[in-house]
Amino acid sequence: MSSLNFKSLTDSLNSTVAPRLAQLRLWYDGRAASEQRLLRVAAIVVPILLLLSVFSALQSSLTKMEKRLQTKRADYAYIQSVAPAIAAAPVPNPSGQSLPALVDAGSREAGITIASTDPVGQNQLRIRVENTSFDTLAGWLVRLQQNEGVVVQNASIDRAAAPGQVSASVTLSRP
């Protein structure tokens, strides 16, 4: 059955291509000898130029990928070299306050109004802030991490209507 389909496909192709080739041959035969030579040379040179341009683009892409790989390997080596020092770094000395108390006091001190707080599991708290300066929020979260060891587990930050203002839902935890 597949040979029958192949034969019908071949016949269909021949019936479509043969007339076109005949027209092309008539057109070619109608050209002057110098034009025919030029067309023969072009038939050889143009595909070679196309192949060269494709290979050049592939080579360029390969070179860029090799450079990226080298950079990634260097980054990985650096991370591996500093990982023990980071792991051995002391954890911030927390004040002993509960996470909700830290968040409440720290947010008031930073000038951030918390719209809602929801406990999430043990030692985790999800907070929601509305229309807050991104810089103020980010600075406060960094201070919580550096001073109290509070970790941002998850954050979803959306742009508010006013420039530089955001609304955010942040899940904080404390080891």
Side-chain angles (χ1 to χ4, degrees):
M1 183 178 219
S2 65
S3 63
L4 183 61
N5 287 338
F6 181 73
K7 179 158 178 44
S8 65
L9 179 64
T10 305
D11 291 343
S12 173
L13 205 60
N14 283 337
S15 66
T16 306
V17 173
R20 298 278 185 197
L21 285 176
Q23 287 176 342
L24 186 60
R25 184 68 180 172
L26 282 173
W27 177 83
Y28 178 78
D29 290 341
R31 303 291 111 204
S34 62
E35 288 179 342
Q36 287 180 357
R37 267 192 312 272
L38 181 63
L39 288 169
R40 283 192 302 264
V41 169
I44 294 170
V45 171
V46 168
I48 290 172
L49 290 176
L50 286 174
L51 284 173
L52 288 174
S53 69
V54 167
F55 286 130
S56 174
L58 288 173
Q59 181 63 35
S60 173
S61 179
L62 181 62
T63 301
K64 287 178 186 176
M65 285 182 175
E66 287 172 344
K67 286 180 183 178
R68 282 185 64 205
L69 180 60
Q70 288 174 351
T71 302
K72 298 287 183 188
R73 284 184 175 157
D75 291 347
Y76 180 72
Y78 172 73
I79 289 170
Q80 292 291 58
S81 71
V82 298
I86 292 172
V91 176
N93 207 0
S95 64
Q97 290 181 308
S98 69
L99 184 57
L102 278 173
V103 168
D104 183 52
S107 65
R108 274 190 268 122
E109 183 180 303
I112 296 173
T113 303
I114 296 181
S116 66
T117 61
D118 296 311
V120 181
Q122 191 175 3
N123 295 326
Q124 287 191 343
L125 186 66
R126 182 178 303 123
I127 63 168
R128 178 83 186 147
V129 295
E130 305 284 340
N131 298 318
T132 300
S133 163
F134 175 78
D135 293 338
T136 303
L137 177 63
W140 173 60
L141 291 172
V142 167
R143 283 190 303 280
L144 277 176
Q145 190 276 324
Q146 290 175 343
N147 299 338
E148 300 294 337
V150 174
V151 178
V152 175
Q153 293 293 326
N154 189 5
S156 174
I157 301 173
D158 299 313
R159 183 183 310 159
Q165 299 291 304
V166 296
S167 294
S169 176
V170 181
T171 303
L172 303 170
S173 70
R174 188 166 174 190

